[in-house]
Amino acid sequence: MLDSIRTCLGCRARSEPALLVRIAVQGDAAVVDHDRRLPGRGAWVHPTQQCAERAVRAIPRALRQRHLDTSPIARWAQDGLV
C-alpha cells in the first residue's frame, strides 16, 4: 500500500511523507515530531531552512491552534535542521 501524498507547509509542493518532517503540538508549542508518533493533527514541511522558515507563520493555522509557540520550529530552522 502506498503512503498518501502530503503538502509542504513552506513551499506548498506535494511530496511523499518520507521526504518531509512532521510538526505537531506538544503542550503549547509546535515541535518537530521526528518519530511521527505524537498524537493529534500534524503539519508537514521539507527539512530545508527555506521551507521551515516559511512554514513558521502558517503552523498555528495548520494545526488549528490559535495561540501556539512556534519558536522551537524557528530555532530548528536556524540551527541547521538537526
Side-chain angles (χ1 to χ4, degrees):
M1 183 171 147
L2 295 174
D3 283 330
S4 54
I5 301 297
R6 305 286 186 216
T7 301
C8 173
L9 203 52
C11 67
R12 307 300 297 162
R14 296 169 56 88
S15 298
E16 295 179 25
L19 302 175
L20 300 167
V21 174
R22 184 174 186 262
I23 297 172
V25 176
Q26 190 168 40
D28 64 348
V31 296
V32 176
D33 183 9
H34 293 289
D35 296 328
R36 300 177 182 196
R37 296 190 191 279
L38 290 176
R41 190 171 185 83
W44 298 84
V45 65
H46 286 111
T48 65
Q49 186 173 8
Q50 185 176 13
C51 284
E53 287 176 351
R54 285 183 179 176
V56 169
R57 288 188 58 213
I59 289 171
R61 185 173 184 179
L63 297 177
R64 298 183 181 168
Q65 298 285 323
R66 195 169 236 190
H67 303 288
L68 186 66
D69 179 13
T70 58
S71 62
I73 305 302
R75 276 194 307 276
W76 174 68
Q78 289 177 343
D79 291 345
L81 310 166
V82 178

